Amino acid sequence: MLLPIVVYGHPVLRKIAEDIPADFPDLDKFLKDMFQTMDEADGVGLAAPQVGKSIRVFVVDGNAFAEADPECAGFRKAFINAHIIERSGEEISRNEGCLSIPGIHEDMKRKDKIRIAYRDENGKEHEEEYEGIKAWIIQHEYDHLEGILFTDHLSTLKKRLLRNKLNNISLGKFKATYRVILPK
Ligand code: NI
């Protein structure tokens, strides 16, 4: 089932998401819907707050970057109760976008390496390191669990320049190929 995606200005995007219990109802179905929604919207990641659920769950698919980074081939998975433990390495600048902020793409810097603890869809606990594009995708989705959007990381000047565009998104003045939920 395709889920509508919440856009900029909606309060759920600003909440700190919560861990879910092991017996969270219908998790399989929810993950399936998340993957399907991400695929349909051509996203490389989707976090639960973006579909209106303030829980620490996100899905990623790095296959679109397999040419730029062979490590990304087959990188398609769900992160449950995700907690980044450490960020390290160089700051790398990449052009970023977000399904909740349609039409806006800006360069921004993120650390190149992370260490993350999470549970997989079978309830198994993991602690793993990621780098490069994988770490970049994870950090973007992880920000959603912390109530942070990529535009928050931009300079004050850049934010000022984007203010009207962001306002227009919250008013529904934008084009998207997927179903959305507006703030009001
Ligand atoms: Ni996003």
Side-chain angles (χ1 to χ4, degrees):
M1 186 178 75
L2 289 175
L3 306 168
I5 296 175
V6 164
V7 299
Y8 188 90
H10 196 292
V12 73
L13 294 175
R14 292 309 189 181
K15 281 167 86 174
I16 296 190
E18 298 196 349
D19 282 338
I20 57 169
D23 61 350
F24 187 79
D26 296 324
L27 181 62
D28 287 353
K29 161 84 172 125
F30 180 63
L31 292 176
K32 200 176 158 214
D33 292 346
M34 289 277 287
F35 277 114
Q36 192 191 352
T37 304
M38 170 180 68
D39 292 345
E40 186 71 19
D42 273 329
V44 298
L46 183 68
Q50 292 182 276
V51 295
K53 287 212 185 311
S54 194
I55 55 175
R56 299 189 80 82
V57 174
F58 62 84
V59 296
V60 298
D61 190 332
N63 281 294
F65 294 102
E67 230 166 84
D69 178 356
E71 292 261 310
C72 283
F75 180 56
R76 180 177 169 91
K77 60 191 284 172
F79 290 81
I80 297 150
N81 294 354
H83 293 274
I84 288 183
I85 296 162
E86 198 186 352
R87 302 177 201 241
S88 59
E90 262 178 275
E91 296 229 301
I92 309 242
S93 177
R94 292 191 167 92
N95 195 258
E96 205 154 312
C98 178
L99 294 175
S100 293
I101 315 180
I104 296 184
H105 291 88
E106 295 292 336
D107 288 342
M108 58 154 292
K109 285 181 183 168
R110 291 188 189 275
K111 291 279 193 184
D112 196 41
K113 248 189 208 175
I114 57 148
R115 186 162 190 82
I116 187 168
Y118 69 97
R119 232 171 61 196
D120 64 25
E121 58 270 53
N122 302 312
K124 193 167 182 262
E125 307 270 356
H126 299 267
E127 194 180 308
E128 289 164 356
E129 258 180 31
Y130 290 93
E131 57 184 308
I133 291 175
K134 287 180 179 176
W136 169 57
I137 297 171
I138 290 170
Q139 286 179 88
H140 176 107
E141 299 314 323
Y142 187 82
D143 270 358
H144 281 300
L145 310 186
E146 299 289 304
I148 299 168
L149 299 168
F150 84 89
T151 46
D152 299 345
H153 296 288
L154 301 173
S155 69
T156 311
L157 173 64
K158 198 91 222 186
K159 274 186 226 167
R160 200 178 306 144
L161 293 171
L162 286 175
R163 196 157 54 196
N164 282 341
K165 271 194 183 176
L166 290 170
N167 272 339
N168 282 339
I169 291 173
S170 34
L171 295 171
K173 295 182 197 161
F174 61 88
K175 287 210 177 84
T177 57
Y178 40 89
R179 259 202 315 146
V180 298
I181 297 179
L182 298 178
K184 271 270 174 298

